[in-house]
Amino acid sequence: MLRDLNDEQKNAVEEEENILLTACPGSGKTRTLTYKIAYELKRLPPKKYILALTYTNRASDEITERLLNMGIETNFLYSGTIHSFCMEWIIKPYKGYIPEIKNGYQIADEYITINIIDEVKTELRLKSYDEFNTRYDRNGLISNESGIKKEAALKYHTKLQSEKLIDFDMILYLSYKLLKNNSYIAKTIGKLFHYICVDEYQDTQDLQYGIIGELIKSSEGNIRLFIVGDKNQSIYNLGIAKNDTEISDEIGGFNVKKLNLIKNYRSSQRIVDFINNFQYHEQTVEAHGKYKNEKGIITFSNKLIYKDILHEEIAKCIRISLQNRIPQNEICVVAPQWWLVSSMARKLKKLMPDINFDAPGLAPFSKNPENVWYCVARLALVTPSTRVYLLRRKWAKELIEKLMIYEGYKEEFKDISSFLRLINSIKPDISKGLKYLESYFKTLMERIGVDICINQELTSSWVSFFEGAKRRINNSNYDIPDDIEYFKKIFKRAEGVVVSSCHGVKGEEYETVIAFGLLRGYIPNWRNINFQDSTYEIPFSNKLLYVICSRAKRNLHLISEIGRKTQKRRGYETNRDLKKVNYDYDLIDL
């Protein structure tokens, strides 16, 4: 089973102790994690589960898909985000222990929370760009630097409570509080798990460490921990990359063994040497893949390219790669922020009509598996194929479980195959994306015998799903088209040149990466810049550059265009950490 792994990966999979696995870019992190899960599932004690916690639902689906394609049975695997796990295993079964929600609650998704935050800002006369923290820490406290922001956080939570709502951060806080204050609950849940596997540990929040720690402590160390990630790719503000000693303290003092994956199978040694300029946490990385000895191309422009002709210069970079016989889907154009992505994709498509572009970028709706309509949309929009057959069966099983609780659900559609045949048969002849989904949802509910109107949870979820989608589509910064073909692209694998954000391509890899907008204020964002203390800015800057540049296998084009202005009409400067790199860049005729 492990013959396809190298020695580093195999040792990590076979190790019996709690493991903190630091994995450099291209080292097969997801592969190793997947094999570890498969390895432990094969020798799982009776009545035990493996818990796999991922940062995104997409990552969870990828791991599940790999396991299913390996022929691994996943009935005793729970794979999902920490929020999904907390809802299914802690909040729902034990809500009666929480005074705030014991008499009922609803999830406040992105649409609802944004509306409430906007209301608070209006009431307190805060500016639209003013940000305030709404997250509880382990002690039930919310930290904000000013009195007005503290008042804003209090108003926000008062509004949530008045509507019996909990947001995603409250899910974590209430789950931690339940486990911490009720040892019986922690022990009951802890007895069910044999392993907890955590992906992208550098993006793990403090409360998440607390939840994991309470479960392992309650098991008296019988739950093993396998945690993997890369501190240099910690690009989310809330993530904390704890070391082995800190993690050991979290789980009750049980030993945590530190291992490393240092062999990069993705990039050339030249690319590896270049990205080492942006290592904030020093680690050894060695190129071992098929491109390791290739010179490739590394260029940097920060003086010549004006923003109004930027798309023309990027098009030239794309043409160079195509002339070198690089497939379209092995070329990626990366921007630091989403609002730059859609406008660039539109300009490139117009300029290069002979080239396919994949720029699904931002989804028109919140990817929230707690919302039943998102779960229906996911099945409706993913085209059936042999590649996704097993994954769609898993989604169908989960959706059936959500829908069966509603009155009228027909017995004939409790079978997965029958349900999928129904899902595949619904084909509204509508080109508008939201109208298509409205028709699809109504048809499905009619066929399975569920009346949407008589169930408050379904109707409120409907409003949240569609109003949230309308808000995104109507936001000029996102530039999301309301057509069904765009909606379907959200779930498709790239077939053309990819245009995305640095957060969107995290975990991906391409032969050629073309990055633009490498400006201070974009990378890092202004909110991550503390003008009195550069040590606050530098980590964010380096980690974002590290993630962007490490996507490349052999060619890397870096562009810091000129002509962009701040709100005060000052010109943006090149990212300082990129500008100070002394490197012998290639010169090509753009």
Side-chain angles (χ1 to χ4, degrees):
M1 178 182 177
L2 306 181
R3 61 182 179 276
D4 295 330
L5 302 180
N6 66 27
D7 290 341
E8 285 180 346
Q9 297 165 339
K10 185 178 179 183
N11 288 340
V13 170
E14 293 181 326
E15 180 57 59
E16 300 284 345
E17 292 190 51
N18 299 308
I19 293 297
L20 169 59
L21 182 63
T22 300
C24 75
S27 59
K29 171 182 67 67
T30 304
R31 180 186 184 85
T32 305
L33 179 63
T34 304
Y35 270 85
K36 177 63 175 178
I37 295 169
Y39 182 75
E40 297 301 340
L41 283 172
K42 283 284 190 180
R43 53 194 218 133
L44 195 64
K47 300 180 181 179
K48 293 284 187 177
Y49 284 82
I50 302 290
L51 172 59
L53 297 175
T54 60
Y55 190 77
T56 64
N57 294 305
R58 175 185 172 188
S60 172
D61 287 342
E62 181 182 351
I63 288 171
T64 302
E65 185 177 2
R66 290 190 187 197
L67 290 168
L68 292 172
N69 290 333
M70 290 166 62
I72 301 297
E73 180 56 62
T74 60
N75 286 341
F76 292 95
L77 168 70
Y78 184 88
S79 177
T81 64
I82 184 72
H83 298 89
S84 296
F85 166 72
C86 287
M87 283 301 304
E88 292 299 320
W89 294 79
I90 305 176
I91 299 290
K92 288 180 180 178
Y94 300 104
K95 68 177 183 179
Y97 289 80
I98 310 174
E100 300 97 308
I101 64 173
K102 67 178 182 180
N103 294 321
Y105 66 91
Q106 288 184 311
I107 303 298
D109 63 12
E110 180 186 40
Y111 166 71
I112 295 172
T113 56
I114 288 175
N115 278 345
I116 295 176
I117 288 171
D118 287 347
E119 288 176 11
V120 170
K121 288 181 178 179
T122 300
E123 291 173 12
L124 297 180
R125 297 183 179 180
L126 292 169
K127 293 182 173 62
S128 61
Y129 54 80
D130 285 331
E131 295 185 357
F132 56 91
N133 178 36
T134 62
R135 295 176 299 277
Y136 287 108
D137 63 17
R138 296 192 195 193
N139 299 314
L141 302 175
I142 302 174
S143 298
N144 277 293
E145 68 271 20
S146 68
I148 189 68
K149 292 188 176 182
K150 290 177 182 177
E151 184 180 354
L154 178 61
K155 271 185 170 290
Y156 170 81
H157 280 286
T158 300
K159 288 176 181 287
L160 284 182
Q161 291 169 15
S162 68
E163 298 294 330
K164 293 186 176 181
L165 296 168
I166 57 173
D167 64 11
F168 290 115
D169 292 314
M170 281 291 289
I171 290 172
L172 299 183
Y173 172 65
L174 293 175
S175 296
Y176 173 74
K177 196 164 105 172
L178 264 175
L179 298 178
K180 185 72 175 176
N181 297 341
N182 300 275
S183 59
Y184 160 76
I185 294 174
K187 287 180 180 178
T188 300
I189 298 173
K191 286 178 181 178
L192 297 172
F193 291 101
H194 179 58
Y195 250 94
I196 298 177
C197 298
V198 181
D199 191 19
E200 304 287 8
Y201 87 95
Q202 73 278 1
D203 297 322
T204 300
Q205 298 179 35
D206 183 64
L207 275 172
Q208 296 175 21
Y209 284 109
I211 291 165
I212 294 167
E214 290 302 318
L215 290 175
I216 294 177
K217 283 187 285 188
S218 74
S219 76
E220 299 181 344
N222 288 320
I223 297 177
R224 287 287 187 264
L225 180 65
F226 188 84
I227 188 167
V228 59
D230 181 359
K231 289 193 288 187
N232 283 309
Q233 297 189 61
S234 178
I235 61 175
Y236 295 95
N237 293 357
L238 301 177
I240 305 171
K242 297 196 174 188
N243 61 35
D244 50 338
T245 302
E246 293 169 324
I247 294 170
S248 175
D249 290 341
E250 288 283 6
I251 64 174
F254 297 105
N255 185 55
V256 175
K257 186 174 183 178
K258 187 176 179 181
L259 297 176
N260 300 293
L261 300 181
I262 66 170
K263 295 178 180 179
N264 182 316
Y265 291 93
R266 173 187 301 158
S267 307
S268 67
Q269 187 62 51
R270 190 181 182 208
I271 293 287
V272 167
D273 292 340
F274 182 76
I275 65 176
N276 285 342
N277 286 293
F278 309 115
Q279 279 193 10
Y280 188 72
H281 301 279
E282 187 175 346
Q283 62 178 335
T284 301
V285 183
E286 303 170 358
H288 279 261
K290 68 176 183 177
Y291 298 114
K292 66 177 182 179
N293 295 322
E294 290 209 16
K295 182 176 184 297
I297 301 171
I298 301 179
T299 67
F300 174 47
S301 173
N302 69 334
K303 295 179 181 178
L304 302 176
I305 301 177
Y306 190 69
K307 67 178 182 66
D308 291 344
I309 62 166
L310 177 61
H311 62 293
E312 297 176 5
E313 306 307 315
I314 291 176
K316 292 176 184 177
C317 292
I318 293 172
R319 292 287 186 197
I320 289 171
S321 288
L322 294 174
Q323 288 166 9
N324 290 326
R325 298 184 178 181
I326 293 176
Q328 292 182 21
N329 64 353
E330 282 287 340
I331 303 170
C332 180
V333 179
V334 184
Q337 297 178 18
W338 279 113
W339 69 272
L340 292 165
V341 172
S342 54
S343 59
M344 178 55 66
R346 188 171 58 250
K347 290 176 182 178
L348 289 173
K349 288 176 182 178
K350 184 176 180 180
L351 186 64
M352 309 175 77
D354 56 320
I355 305 299
N356 294 319
F357 285 92
D358 281 290
L362 203 63
F365 37 76
S366 177
K367 295 183 178 180
N368 173 20
E370 293 303 316
N371 188 308
V372 67
W373 303 114
Y374 167 73
C375 297
V376 177
R378 182 171 57 179
L379 273 171
L381 296 173
V382 173
T383 304
S385 70
T386 54
R387 184 186 66 79
V388 295
Y389 173 72
L390 294 174
L391 189 58
R392 290 183 87 245
R393 284 187 65 86
K394 173 180 177 288
W395 290 345
K397 180 176 181 291
E398 294 169 350
L399 182 54
I400 290 169
E401 291 172 356
K402 289 180 182 291
L403 294 173
M404 278 175 54
I405 66 172
Y406 299 115
E407 183 181 347
Y409 191 91
K410 294 180 179 178
E411 189 75 25
E412 64 191 281
F413 296 116
K414 291 181 180 180
D415 174 70
I416 294 175
S417 296
S418 299
F419 186 77
L420 276 175
R421 281 194 294 271
L422 172 60
I423 285 285
N424 298 341
S425 70
I426 303 172
K427 299 176 181 179
D429 187 18
I430 302 172
S431 60
K432 289 287 187 180
L434 292 183
K435 291 294 183 184
Y436 179 98
L437 289 179
E438 284 183 17
S439 174
Y440 191 104
F441 294 171
K442 289 176 181 177
T443 302
L444 176 64
M445 293 297 117
E446 288 171 5
R447 299 270 186 89
I448 64 175
V450 175
D451 187 342
I452 301 171
C453 299
I454 66 173
N455 188 283
Q456 184 181 355
E457 184 178 351
L458 283 178
T459 53
S460 61
S461 297
W462 178 286
V463 171
S464 182
F465 180 90
F466 283 104
E467 292 303 316
K470 289 174 186 175
R471 183 182 184 125
R472 288 188 176 205
I473 290 169
N474 293 332
N475 189 325
S476 59
N477 288 330
Y478 293 161
D479 192 27
I480 299 174
D482 181 19
D483 71 77
I484 191 59
E485 292 308 313
Y486 177 88
F487 282 23
K488 289 180 178 179
K489 284 184 179 180
I490 297 298
F491 297 100
K492 278 186 178 179
R493 289 192 174 177
E495 297 175 352
V497 176
V498 173
V499 188
S500 190
S501 75
C502 53
H503 292 81
V505 298
K506 193 163 180 264
E508 304 296 329
E509 56 184 42
Y510 307 91
E511 289 196 39
T512 295
V513 169
I514 306 162
F516 70 96
L518 306 181
L519 304 164
R520 185 171 185 262
Y522 290 177
I523 289 187
N525 191 286
W526 286 124
R527 65 175 175 269
N528 299 131
I529 295 176
N530 183 331
F531 291 101
Q532 283 70 47
D533 186 358
S534 63
T535 60
Y536 186 78
E537 174 183 350
I538 292 171
F540 286 104
S541 174
N542 276 278
K543 290 171 183 177
L544 285 164
L545 290 170
Y546 189 83
V547 167
I548 289 171
C549 297
S550 62
R551 303 307 97 200
K553 297 178 183 178
R554 52 176 173 157
N555 302 313
L556 181 61
H557 300 283
L558 304 173
I559 303 172
S560 176
E561 64 272 20
I562 58 177
R564 296 196 187 274
K565 302 288 185 182
T566 67
Q567 287 186 345
K568 295 182 178 180
R569 306 309 298 165
R570 295 173 183 169
Y572 278 90
E573 62 174 294
T574 298
N575 173 279
R576 293 177 178 179
D577 295 293
L578 177 59
K579 186 164 59 175
K580 72 183 182 183
V581 173
N582 183 16
Y583 191 79
D584 184 20
Y585 294 102
D586 297 307
L587 297 176
I588 60 173
D589 183 15
L590 290 182

